[in-house]
Amino acid sequence: MKLEYDSKTRKGKLIYPEKVIERSLGKVPPSKDLIDKHLHKRGGMFRISLMLTAIFSVIGILGTILKVINGFDNLSDWSVYVTACVFIFTTFMGAPMLSMATKVARGNWSRPVSRLSEIFCISGIAGLLMFLPILWVLPSLEDGRNTLWFYDPGKVPAYSPHIWTTIVMIAFILTALALLWINARPDFAILRDNSKGKNKIYSFLSWGWVGSTKQWNSLRQRVSILGIFYFMLLITVHFCLASDFLMTLLPGWIDSLYPVTQAHNAIQGGVAVLIIAVFIAWKWGGYKQYIGLDQFWGLGKLLFGISLLWVWFFISSLMVLWYGKKPNERDVLQILMFGKYLPVFLGTIFFVFIIPFTLLILNNVRKSFYGPPIIAISVLIGNFLDRFRHYSSAYSLDRTIDENTHRFANLPEIYVPSIVDIMVLLGAISLPIFLILIISKYVPIISLWENREYILYGSHEKYHHTEVLVEGKPY
Amino acid sequence: MANKSVLGLFVDENVVGDTLSSLRKSGYKDNELEVMTGSPYPEGTFGEAEPHHKLFRYPIFGAVIGFTVALIITVGTQLAYPLVTGGKPILSIPPMLVIFYEMTLLFSVIVTILGALFESRLPRIFMGAYDERIMTEGYIGLVVTVSESRIKKAEDTLKKFGAESTKRGWE
């Protein structure tokens, strides 16, 4: 029988990555522990969550079917549905940006949470499924509304917004799924060689991964390329959704900043939803050894910065309409902010800016395990109110113009969701979570290879009277 | 004559580096040597050759196709239906930019994903010269792929430098 590995004589059996760990604080080779955590049977809480999200997803699908049966002609009937769909894109689909950005910038602190962030890519399937019926809801360009697209009645198709948004959406979801798979491939190989029973699935998913220098090199390159594509497509998806599925439906709303504002909101919502996922993994997932204060602190700082940016976008857009002061611009302000939707508007500001700003400015809140998740919930509530304020008002707008004032004859009342709308809402929130839970059975929620790499490049060293984490960043 | 592979398993990075140097001195070329690890070691840790890949070609190739398709669609439709809109020229660039951007991105993504699959080749059913301990226990694998006449010498070199075990890819 071989002896345990001796770092001085360099002999014996090496239990990875003991050699590095012996210089750091950890005592147990983390990869083994992480593999066991991933492969062990899930607890009761996981099963209950899976069951509940499955039930709510089915309820959501039923709600969608009822809406489809009711027809696509009445726009206001679909206002909550569109809100819910866009909410998926401004929260769940923003979360992977953290992994992509920190990988490109080579930020080590996010390694323990980068896989959690990538797993959110799977929620793109839910977003795409919800988006499809909206293609029938959005009127064609025949109604004469302003548009970015080339259109001529009877000669050029009136469905450019539908076609181009679908194309960009497909590219976005493809990129997201490719990123998830490429990032998880080394982990599938590790699980292929460690697991019993699921071996065939992992064998297929690892797609011949053996860990050669060329494969590692390719992985880095691919993640960088696709990460950049993901960011570009995130902006483009929100550009199309915001301009074609929202702004053109509110006559007079001409603001080149809003599509980018929505993309920014998606990144803010993404960080918020990721903080909650990280908190769940830390508190109840059994990953306290791997997720530390560093991750909550880092995410808290990020949320703080993005929340500050929210007010910049808001003020910049407001000024255009406020000082423009044309009748239809005043209408837009009335519809979105100061009219019937004033309470929703105030709620948005309170939850999405005031709460994060006033609380995250405090170091002891930002640098804590409970502060950022509580604030993240507030940001998500604010994000939903923001989507509701924009999309439900645009979709329930009566477009009759008063000929004397050249303004809308009737401003929309706050849309009160029906039972079917609530069914759809439940489904829209549950379906991405259901997909994430299902995929987490196969994809480890903490990246095995990134965790190894983290340990490989880092060690805790004594520094005068304290101990510091020394992290390497290879070229 | 078909090439064959032999794998040596090591526990120490320095030993792998020394073995690699020795194999090179014995006349083995860089493309005949491959290091396998369970973790992404920094490039050059073992003194291995820098891998050459063609990954950047895929997105560029896709982008060129996408841009060309977008150009054909936009220019083609506008020339087929020459309608003056808002007093602007028939072929005005700003409205075409959005479609250029979208199609360029879409094709780049598709070709990059196809490229990733192509570069990975098909899934390996037979793993060849590979050992599970690379992924499970952190061993470092050094694979030599040469003609049958030179495989014995390579195997001996791997053993001489302290490979814990060797494994032939064809067995």
Side-chain angles (χ1 to χ4, degrees), chain B residues 100-120:
Chain B
F100 287 168
Y101 179 81
E102 269 200 28
M103 294 299 273
T104 308
L105 255 181
L106 175 69
F107 276 81
S108 298
V109 167
I110 290 172
V111 177
T112 304
I113 294 168
L114 290 177
L117 294 177
F118 176 73
E119 284 267 319
S120 313

Side-chain angles (χ1 to χ4, degrees), chain A residues 108-117 278 290-292 295 445-447 450-451 454:
Chain A
N108 274 337
W109 67 270
S110 67
R111 281 179 193 276
V113 298
S114 68
R115 176 57 51 73
L116 262 170
S117 137
V278 171
Y290 303 96
I291 298 167
Q295 282 67 47
I445 62 166
I446 291 199
S447 173
E450 280 196 72
N451 190 267
Y454 192 35

Side-chain angles (χ1 to χ4, degrees), chain A residues 333-451:
Chain A
L333 287 179
Q334 283 295 314
I335 292 165
L336 296 178
M337 295 172 202
F338 308 118
K340 303 286 168 52
Y341 275 84
L342 180 68
V344 185
F345 168 62
L346 292 177
T348 304
I349 294 190
F350 180 73
F351 287 114
V352 97
F353 174 67
I354 293 174
I355 289 215
F357 175 68
T358 51
L359 293 179
L360 283 173
I361 206 166
L362 305 168
N363 197 37
N364 53 356
V365 175
R366 201 168 60 238
K367 196 178 179 181
S368 69
F369 286 104
Y370 289 90
I374 291 169
I375 294 158
I377 292 170
S378 156
V379 167
L380 288 181
I381 295 170
N383 191 307
F384 179 77
L385 291 177
D386 210 10
R387 300 288 79 73
F388 181 70
R389 172 169 76 96
H390 286 104
Y391 284 85
S392 73
S393 60
Y395 278 75
S396 54
L397 177 67
D398 174 7
R399 288 174 182 75
T400 315
I401 299 285
D402 184 327
E403 288 189 2
N404 296 321
T405 60
H406 299 286
R407 295 179 67 171
F408 289 116
N410 306 301
L411 293 183
E413 295 285 334
I414 293 182
Y415 185 84
V416 181
S418 64
I419 302 271
V420 179
D421 288 328
I422 291 166
M423 286 167 72
V424 167
L425 259 180
L426 280 174
I429 296 167
S430 302
L431 187 58
I433 300 172
F434 174 73
L435 291 173
I436 289 165
L437 289 175
I438 285 280
I439 205 80
S440 71
K441 287 179 83 173
Y442 298 97
V443 182
I445 62 166
I446 291 199
S447 173
L448 303 174
W449 72 269
E450 280 196 72
N451 190 267

Side-chain angles (χ1 to χ4, degrees), chain A residues 10 16 19 193 217 452 457, chain B residues 13 39-40 43 130 135:
Chain A
R10 288 180 178 170
Y16 197 91
K19 205 167 90 178
D193 295 345
N217 186 281
R452 285 175 163 192
Y457 295 165
Chain B
E13 296 91 338
S39 308
E43 279 171 30
Y130 176 74
M135 290 293 160

